[in-house]
Amino acid sequence: GLSSQVQAEMVDFDINIIFDGGLTQSQMDVFTDAERFWESQIVGYAADLPFNVTLDITARGENIDGVGKILGSAGPTQVFRPFGSSTFYTANGLMRFDTADILALENAGTLSAVINHEIAHVIGFGSLWELNNLYVEGTGEYTGAFALSAYRNEFDSQATFVPVELDGSQGTIDAHWDENWQGPQSDLLTGYLEGQTTLSE
């Protein structure tokens, strides 16, 4: 057997985009850039993982309903919890986009921001908060220790929670930073896209 002295090494955060049709090469390139972006922002897992993990995200374009209605959907499809940990992570996710909308976003120069935003939801932003006991639906108060610490350092030193969006439609409510928080409305992970995006800590 293995010695009890052996310690788990830091496991890198690795995303694998699986293209499943309906996307042009230039659109697939944006997904690949977004994969690299999040791998550079998230360097590992909070839990000690004794094995390599790859987050597989299937991405596809579909003809849904034309421009301006249903953009698509994105989120985890399978999660896992490492032995001895209380934290759930995404193992597999799916990103579906209306081909008409994704072309319009590409032409407008906003596709990169939208893909980065949606991959965050697949990773767990707004989608695994309640499962991980970091948020209670309808409260508007995210209490994850690391995000709260960053929010205090950047925006509001007296904050007791990070404000969460409670306005808008299903999919926006309870899953994004609030438009009226102390950070900028341009933040990538607020619920509304307003031109050039920024990314808070």
Side-chain angles (χ1 to χ4, degrees):
L2 293 174
S3 167
S4 61
Q5 299 299 313
V6 175
Q7 295 183 348
E9 296 181 1
M10 185 72 162
V11 174
D12 291 337
F13 184 72
D14 181 40
I15 300 172
N16 178 40
I17 303 291
I18 302 166
F19 295 109
D20 192 33
L23 301 169
T24 67
Q25 184 59 56
S26 61
Q27 291 163 358
M28 289 189 287
D29 290 344
V30 175
F31 277 89
T32 301
D33 289 343
E35 171 189 337
R36 294 188 186 115
F37 171 77
W38 282 117
E39 288 173 344
S40 73
Q41 296 295 315
I42 302 174
V43 297
Y45 291 83
D48 287 331
L49 304 182
F51 49 83
N52 290 324
V53 175
T54 299
L55 167 53
D56 289 327
I57 303 176
T58 300
R60 62 174 174 255
E62 302 176 4
N63 182 8
I64 299 176
D65 62 2
V67 177
K69 297 178 183 176
I70 298 173
L71 172 63
S73 62
T77 56
Q78 182 180 23
V79 299
F80 72 96
R81 184 175 65 183
F83 179 77
S85 172
S86 61
T87 303
F88 287 89
Y89 297 101
T90 303
N92 296 287
L94 174 65
M95 300 178 69
R96 299 169 53 245
F97 285 94
D98 189 325
T99 50
D101 282 310
I102 201 170
L103 179 60
L105 292 168
E106 185 176 21
N107 290 337
T110 55
L111 181 59
S112 177
V114 171
I115 298 298
N116 283 335
H117 178 101
E118 296 302 335
I119 284 182
H121 286 312
V122 175
I123 292 170
F125 183 92
S127 55
L128 297 183
W129 286 353
E130 291 181 57
L131 189 61
N132 283 318
N133 297 312
L134 303 171
Y135 181 72
V136 176
E137 181 179 352
T139 64
E141 300 181 1
Y142 179 91
T143 57
F146 297 113
L148 178 55
S149 176
Y151 185 68
R152 286 172 174 163
N153 289 334
E154 280 187 284
F155 305 124
D156 183 357
S157 62
Q158 303 301 311
T160 56
F161 58 87
V162 183
V164 172
E165 185 64 64
L166 292 178
D167 295 321
S169 59
Q170 183 180 3
T172 301
I173 297 172
D174 292 317
H176 299 88
W177 300 142
D178 188 16
E179 284 287 296
N180 296 316
W181 69 333
Q182 296 301 309
Q185 290 183 332
S186 59
D187 192 83
L188 179 68
L189 296 171
T190 56
Y192 301 92
L193 179 63
E194 294 141 340
Q196 189 70 30
T197 57
T198 57
L199 183 67
S200 63
E201 287 298 317

Tab-separated table of all heavy atoms in Angstrom, residues 13-17 19 26-42 55 57 59 95 97 111-120 123 188:
chain	number	residue	atom	x	y	z
A	13	PHE	N	-5.889	23.042	-12.789
A	13	PHE	CA	-7.248	23.163	-13.297
A	13	PHE	C	-7.187	23.049	-14.813
A	13	PHE	O	-6.541	23.853	-15.482
A	13	PHE	CB	-7.852	24.494	-12.870
A	13	PHE	CG	-9.292	24.650	-13.267
A	13	PHE	CD1	-10.280	23.929	-12.631
A	13	PHE	CD2	-9.657	25.506	-14.295
A	13	PHE	CE1	-11.613	24.061	-12.991
A	13	PHE	CE2	-10.977	25.650	-14.666
A	13	PHE	CZ	-11.958	24.923	-14.016
A	14	ASP	N	-7.849	22.043	-15.367
A	14	ASP	CA	-7.748	21.755	-16.796
A	14	ASP	C	-9.134	21.650	-17.415
A	14	ASP	O	-9.988	20.905	-16.933
A	14	ASP	CB	-6.986	20.437	-17.007
A	14	ASP	CG	-6.822	20.091	-18.473
A	14	ASP	OD1	-6.569	21.004	-19.280
A	14	ASP	OD2	-6.951	18.905	-18.813
A	15	ILE	N	-9.369	22.418	-18.476
A	15	ILE	CA	-10.625	22.383	-19.219
A	15	ILE	C	-10.371	21.745	-20.578
A	15	ILE	O	-9.355	22.019	-21.215
A	15	ILE	CB	-11.200	23.803	-19.409
A	15	ILE	CG1	-11.478	24.469	-18.063
A	15	ILE	CG2	-12.470	23.773	-20.250
A	15	ILE	CD1	-11.872	25.930	-18.180
A	16	ASN	N	-11.297	20.937	-21.025
A	16	ASN	CA	-11.230	20.340	-22.356
A	16	ASN	C	-12.537	20.642	-23.077
A	16	ASN	O	-13.600	20.178	-22.668
A	16	ASN	CB	-11.022	18.822	-22.248
A	16	ASN	CG	-11.005	18.147	-23.600
A	16	ASN	OD1	-10.434	18.663	-24.561
A	16	ASN	ND2	-11.633	16.990	-23.694
A	17	ILE	N	-12.474	21.449	-24.137
A	17	ILE	CA	-13.657	21.769	-24.924
A	17	ILE	C	-13.858	20.689	-25.986
A	17	ILE	O	-12.938	20.385	-26.760
A	17	ILE	CB	-13.540	23.145	-25.609
A	17	ILE	CG1	-13.279	24.253	-24.574
A	17	ILE	CG2	-14.800	23.444	-26.429
A	17	ILE	CD1	-14.426	24.541	-23.661
A	19	PHE	N	-15.994	19.910	-29.200
A	19	PHE	CA	-16.873	20.545	-30.181
A	19	PHE	C	-17.806	19.508	-30.792
A	19	PHE	O	-17.376	18.447	-31.232
A	19	PHE	CB	-16.047	21.247	-31.251
A	19	PHE	CG	-15.239	22.403	-30.710
A	19	PHE	CD1	-13.856	22.313	-30.614
A	19	PHE	CD2	-15.865	23.553	-30.269
A	19	PHE	CE1	-13.111	23.363	-30.093
A	19	PHE	CE2	-15.129	24.615	-29.745
A	19	PHE	CZ	-13.750	24.525	-29.668
A	26	SER	N	-13.811	30.104	-36.585
A	26	SER	CA	-13.531	31.309	-35.805
A	26	SER	C	-14.256	31.283	-34.470
A	26	SER	O	-13.732	31.757	-33.453
A	26	SER	CB	-13.913	32.564	-36.602
A	26	SER	OG	-15.291	32.571	-36.919
A	27	GLN	N	-15.463	30.708	-34.439
A	27	GLN	CA	-16.199	30.585	-33.184
A	27	GLN	C	-15.532	29.560	-32.266
A	27	GLN	O	-15.416	29.782	-31.051
A	27	GLN	CB	-17.649	30.208	-33.463
A	27	GLN	CG	-18.433	31.326	-34.132
A	27	GLN	CD	-19.717	30.862	-34.783
A	27	GLN	OE1	-20.036	29.664	-34.784
A	27	GLN	NE2	-20.466	31.792	-35.346
A	28	MET	N	-15.064	28.453	-32.837
A	28	MET	CA	-14.357	27.460	-32.028
A	28	MET	C	-13.078	28.047	-31.449
A	28	MET	O	-12.702	27.734	-30.311
A	28	MET	CB	-14.065	26.211	-32.855
A	28	MET	CG	-15.300	25.388	-33.182
A	28	MET	SD	-14.947	23.770	-33.930
A	28	MET	CE	-14.422	24.267	-35.573
A	29	ASP	N	-12.426	28.934	-32.195
A	29	ASP	CA	-11.217	29.589	-31.690
A	29	ASP	C	-11.515	30.426	-30.444
A	29	ASP	O	-10.699	30.506	-29.526
A	29	ASP	CB	-10.592	30.472	-32.769
A	29	ASP	CG	-9.969	29.675	-33.905
A	29	ASP	OD1	-9.738	28.460	-33.731
A	29	ASP	OD2	-9.723	30.276	-34.972
A	30	VAL	N	-12.696	31.048	-30.413
A	30	VAL	CA	-13.087	31.842	-29.241
A	30	VAL	C	-13.266	30.939	-28.024
A	30	VAL	O	-12.850	31.283	-26.909
A	30	VAL	CB	-14.369	32.651	-29.517
A	30	VAL	CG1	-14.830	33.386	-28.259
A	30	VAL	CG2	-14.143	33.648	-30.646
A	31	PHE	N	-13.857	29.766	-28.215
A	31	PHE	CA	-13.996	28.805	-27.124
A	31	PHE	C	-12.621	28.368	-26.615
A	31	PHE	O	-12.401	28.261	-25.399
A	31	PHE	CB	-14.781	27.570	-27.593
A	31	PHE	CG	-16.274	27.730	-27.561
A	31	PHE	CD1	-16.947	28.229	-28.661
A	31	PHE	CD2	-17.003	27.378	-26.442
A	31	PHE	CE1	-18.327	28.368	-28.648
A	31	PHE	CE2	-18.382	27.518	-26.410
A	31	PHE	CZ	-19.055	28.013	-27.516
A	32	THR	N	-11.709	28.118	-27.531
A	32	THR	CA	-10.362	27.695	-27.144
A	32	THR	C	-9.655	28.794	-26.355
A	32	THR	O	-8.969	28.524	-25.360
A	32	THR	CB	-9.548	27.316	-28.391
A	32	THR	OG1	-10.220	26.248	-29.075
A	32	THR	CG2	-8.149	26.853	-28.015
A	33	ASP	N	-9.815	30.045	-26.797
A	33	ASP	CA	-9.232	31.168	-26.054
A	33	ASP	C	-9.836	31.267	-24.650
A	33	ASP	O	-9.135	31.553	-23.678
A	33	ASP	CB	-9.463	32.478	-26.804
A	33	ASP	CG	-8.621	32.593	-28.072
A	33	ASP	OD1	-7.642	31.846	-28.205
A	33	ASP	OD2	-8.956	33.437	-28.921
A	34	ALA	N	-11.155	31.033	-24.550
A	34	ALA	CA	-11.822	31.088	-23.246
A	34	ALA	C	-11.331	29.966	-22.336
A	34	ALA	O	-11.181	30.167	-21.128
A	34	ALA	CB	-13.332	30.990	-23.441
A	35	GLU	N	-11.085	28.807	-22.904
A	35	GLU	CA	-10.516	27.688	-22.133
A	35	GLU	C	-9.190	28.116	-21.522
A	35	GLU	O	-8.951	27.937	-20.318
A	35	GLU	CB	-10.327	26.492	-23.055
A	35	GLU	CG	-9.556	25.342	-22.443
A	35	GLU	CD	-9.198	24.270	-23.468
A	35	GLU	OE1	-9.875	24.165	-24.504
A	35	GLU	OE2	-8.235	23.526	-23.217
A	36	ARG	N	-8.315	28.696	-22.333
A	36	ARG	CA	-7.004	29.127	-21.841
A	36	ARG	C	-7.143	30.234	-20.800
A	36	ARG	O	-6.389	30.292	-19.821
A	36	ARG	CB	-6.148	29.618	-23.015
A	36	ARG	CG	-5.787	28.526	-24.012
A	36	ARG	CD	-4.783	29.037	-25.028
A	36	ARG	NE	-4.535	28.059	-26.059
A	36	ARG	CZ	-4.846	28.221	-27.338
A	36	ARG	NH1	-5.425	29.333	-27.749
A	36	ARG	NH2	-4.575	27.283	-28.219
A	37	PHE	N	-8.116	31.134	-21.023
A	37	PHE	CA	-8.334	32.233	-20.079
A	37	PHE	C	-8.656	31.698	-18.692
A	37	PHE	O	-8.024	32.104	-17.704
A	37	PHE	CB	-9.477	33.126	-20.590
A	37	PHE	CG	-9.929	34.149	-19.585
A	37	PHE	CD1	-9.188	35.294	-19.359
A	37	PHE	CD2	-11.102	33.956	-18.853
A	37	PHE	CE1	-9.599	36.241	-18.434
A	37	PHE	CE2	-11.522	34.902	-17.928
A	37	PHE	CZ	-10.768	36.039	-17.711
A	38	TRP	N	-9.626	30.792	-18.578
A	38	TRP	CA	-10.016	30.305	-17.261
A	38	TRP	C	-8.944	29.416	-16.649
A	38	TRP	O	-8.757	29.412	-15.429
A	38	TRP	CB	-11.367	29.596	-17.316
A	38	TRP	CG	-12.496	30.567	-17.371
A	38	TRP	CD1	-13.411	30.741	-18.356
A	38	TRP	CD2	-12.822	31.546	-16.372
A	38	TRP	NE1	-14.277	31.761	-18.053
A	38	TRP	CE2	-13.947	32.269	-16.844
A	38	TRP	CE3	-12.282	31.880	-15.135
A	38	TRP	CZ2	-14.521	33.304	-16.108
A	38	TRP	CZ3	-12.866	32.911	-14.405
A	38	TRP	CH2	-13.963	33.605	-14.897
A	39	GLU	N	-8.201	28.686	-17.474
A	39	GLU	CA	-7.098	27.890	-16.935
A	39	GLU	C	-6.009	28.788	-16.353
A	39	GLU	O	-5.302	28.389	-15.419
A	39	GLU	CB	-6.517	26.991	-18.031
A	39	GLU	CG	-7.418	25.837	-18.406
A	39	GLU	CD	-6.922	25.058	-19.608
A	39	GLU	OE1	-6.041	25.571	-20.351
A	39	GLU	OE2	-7.420	23.948	-19.829
A	40	SER	N	-5.864	30.011	-16.887
A	40	SER	CA	-4.873	30.946	-16.342
A	40	SER	C	-5.386	31.657	-15.091
A	40	SER	O	-4.598	32.097	-14.255
A	40	SER	CB	-4.490	31.989	-17.402
A	40	SER	OG	-5.541	32.926	-17.611
A	41	GLN	N	-6.712	31.768	-14.946
A	41	GLN	CA	-7.296	32.447	-13.796
A	41	GLN	C	-7.470	31.520	-12.599
A	41	GLN	O	-7.326	31.934	-11.449
A	41	GLN	CB	-8.662	33.041	-14.170
A	41	GLN	CG	-8.615	34.119	-15.230
A	41	GLN	CD	-7.868	35.355	-14.773
A	41	GLN	OE1	-8.066	35.843	-13.665
A	41	GLN	NE2	-6.998	35.871	-15.625
A	42	ILE	N	-7.821	30.274	-12.866
A	42	ILE	CA	-8.041	29.276	-11.809
A	42	ILE	C	-6.876	28.300	-11.858
A	42	ILE	O	-6.737	27.550	-12.826
A	42	ILE	CB	-9.378	28.538	-12.005
A	42	ILE	CG1	-10.535	29.536	-12.030
A	42	ILE	CG2	-9.583	27.489	-10.907
A	42	ILE	CD1	-11.872	28.923	-12.371
A	55	LEU	N	-12.074	18.994	-16.759
A	55	LEU	CA	-13.446	19.436	-16.903
A	55	LEU	C	-13.786	19.413	-18.387
A	55	LEU	O	-13.293	20.236	-19.156
A	55	LEU	CB	-13.614	20.841	-16.328
A	55	LEU	CG	-14.907	21.597	-16.662
A	55	LEU	CD1	-16.140	20.775	-16.332
A	55	LEU	CD2	-14.947	22.932	-15.953
A	57	ILE	N	-16.160	20.096	-21.384
A	57	ILE	CA	-17.300	20.941	-21.743
A	57	ILE	C	-17.644	20.698	-23.206
A	57	ILE	O	-16.827	20.948	-24.090
A	57	ILE	CB	-17.003	22.428	-21.521
A	57	ILE	CG1	-16.609	22.702	-20.069
A	57	ILE	CG2	-18.212	23.271	-21.929
A	57	ILE	CD1	-16.201	24.142	-19.801
A	59	ALA	N	-19.489	21.789	-26.458
A	59	ALA	CA	-19.975	23.052	-27.022
A	59	ALA	C	-20.551	22.784	-28.407
A	59	ALA	O	-19.914	22.136	-29.229
A	59	ALA	CB	-18.837	24.063	-27.111
A	95	MET	N	-22.580	23.488	-23.259
A	95	MET	CA	-22.873	24.842	-23.717
A	95	MET	C	-23.545	24.735	-25.078
A	95	MET	O	-22.953	24.248	-26.028
A	95	MET	CB	-21.599	25.676	-23.826
A	95	MET	CG	-20.855	25.830	-22.519
A	95	MET	SD	-19.330	26.774	-22.689
A	95	MET	CE	-19.956	28.400	-23.031
A	97	PHE	N	-25.640	26.974	-28.033
A	97	PHE	CA	-25.912	28.324	-28.502
A	97	PHE	C	-26.737	28.282	-29.765
A	97	PHE	O	-26.535	27.420	-30.639
A	97	PHE	CB	-24.603	29.069	-28.783
A	97	PHE	CG	-23.872	29.509	-27.551
A	97	PHE	CD1	-22.880	28.709	-27.005
A	97	PHE	CD2	-24.173	30.703	-26.940
A	97	PHE	CE1	-22.209	29.101	-25.869
A	97	PHE	CE2	-23.503	31.114	-25.795
A	97	PHE	CZ	-22.519	30.313	-25.256
A	111	LEU	N	-18.669	38.142	-28.551
A	111	LEU	CA	-18.731	36.691	-28.363
A	111	LEU	C	-17.750	36.213	-27.300
A	111	LEU	O	-18.088	35.362	-26.476
A	111	LEU	CB	-18.474	35.958	-29.684
A	111	LEU	CG	-18.536	34.430	-29.625
A	111	LEU	CD1	-19.894	33.959	-29.134
A	111	LEU	CD2	-18.229	33.825	-31.003
A	112	SER	N	-16.554	36.768	-27.272
A	112	SER	CA	-15.551	36.334	-26.296
A	112	SER	C	-16.046	36.537	-24.874
A	112	SER	O	-15.914	35.639	-24.027
A	112	SER	CB	-14.250	37.111	-26.518
A	112	SER	OG	-13.288	36.748	-25.549
A	113	ALA	N	-16.638	37.699	-24.590
A	113	ALA	CA	-17.146	37.976	-23.248
A	113	ALA	C	-18.264	37.011	-22.878
A	113	ALA	O	-18.314	36.502	-21.753
A	113	ALA	CB	-17.643	39.420	-23.160
A	114	VAL	N	-19.152	36.732	-23.835
A	114	VAL	CA	-20.275	35.833	-23.556
A	114	VAL	C	-19.776	34.411	-23.292
A	114	VAL	O	-20.243	33.747	-22.354
A	114	VAL	CB	-21.294	35.862	-24.717
A	114	VAL	CG1	-22.347	34.772	-24.538
A	114	VAL	CG2	-21.965	37.231	-24.789
A	115	ILE	N	-18.830	33.937	-24.082
A	115	ILE	CA	-18.294	32.586	-23.883
A	115	ILE	C	-17.581	32.490	-22.536
A	115	ILE	O	-17.766	31.521	-21.782
A	115	ILE	CB	-17.335	32.190	-25.024
A	115	ILE	CG1	-18.073	32.164	-26.367
A	115	ILE	CG2	-16.684	30.840	-24.737
A	115	ILE	CD1	-19.191	31.175	-26.461
A	116	ASN	N	-16.766	33.487	-22.201
A	116	ASN	CA	-16.088	33.490	-20.894
A	116	ASN	C	-17.106	33.456	-19.758
A	116	ASN	O	-16.923	32.743	-18.767
A	116	ASN	CB	-15.196	34.721	-20.757
A	116	ASN	CG	-13.895	34.596	-21.519
A	116	ASN	OD1	-13.423	33.500	-21.774
A	116	ASN	ND2	-13.320	35.720	-21.891
A	117	HIS	N	-18.165	34.240	-19.910
A	117	HIS	CA	-19.223	34.291	-18.898
A	117	HIS	C	-19.907	32.937	-18.743
A	117	HIS	O	-20.083	32.436	-17.622
A	117	HIS	CB	-20.236	35.361	-19.318
A	117	HIS	CG	-21.414	35.498	-18.414
A	117	HIS	ND1	-21.527	36.502	-17.481
A	117	HIS	CD2	-22.557	34.759	-18.302
A	117	HIS	CE1	-22.673	36.379	-16.835
A	117	HIS	NE2	-23.325	35.331	-17.316
A	118	GLU	N	-20.265	32.322	-19.861
A	118	GLU	CA	-20.997	31.053	-19.801
A	118	GLU	C	-20.122	29.912	-19.302
A	118	GLU	O	-20.604	29.020	-18.594
A	118	GLU	CB	-21.601	30.732	-21.165
A	118	GLU	CG	-22.649	31.726	-21.647
A	118	GLU	CD	-23.833	31.884	-20.707
A	118	GLU	OE1	-24.122	30.952	-19.932
A	118	GLU	OE2	-24.479	32.951	-20.737
A	119	ILE	N	-18.853	29.917	-19.635
A	119	ILE	CA	-17.952	28.883	-19.108
A	119	ILE	C	-17.870	28.994	-17.587
A	119	ILE	O	-17.791	27.987	-16.878
A	119	ILE	CB	-16.561	28.958	-19.767
A	119	ILE	CG1	-16.624	28.379	-21.190
A	119	ILE	CG2	-15.514	28.195	-18.944
A	119	ILE	CD1	-15.310	28.363	-21.925
A	120	ALA	N	-17.915	30.222	-17.065
A	120	ALA	CA	-17.916	30.396	-15.608
A	120	ALA	C	-19.112	29.689	-14.983
A	120	ALA	O	-18.990	29.056	-13.918
A	120	ALA	CB	-17.926	31.878	-15.256
A	123	ILE	N	-18.354	26.030	-14.873
A	123	ILE	CA	-17.402	25.747	-13.801
A	123	ILE	C	-18.106	25.680	-12.446
A	123	ILE	O	-17.747	24.892	-11.583
A	123	ILE	CB	-16.284	26.815	-13.785
A	123	ILE	CG1	-15.405	26.678	-15.032
A	123	ILE	CG2	-15.444	26.709	-12.518
A	123	ILE	CD1	-14.444	27.830	-15.230
A	188	LEU	N	-17.537	40.952	-15.718
A	188	LEU	CA	-17.873	39.806	-16.558
A	188	LEU	C	-18.992	38.962	-15.973
A	188	LEU	O	-19.769	38.337	-16.709
A	188	LEU	CB	-16.619	38.943	-16.763
A	188	LEU	CG	-16.760	37.680	-17.593
A	188	LEU	CD1	-17.047	38.025	-19.051
A	188	LEU	CD2	-15.496	36.817	-17.491
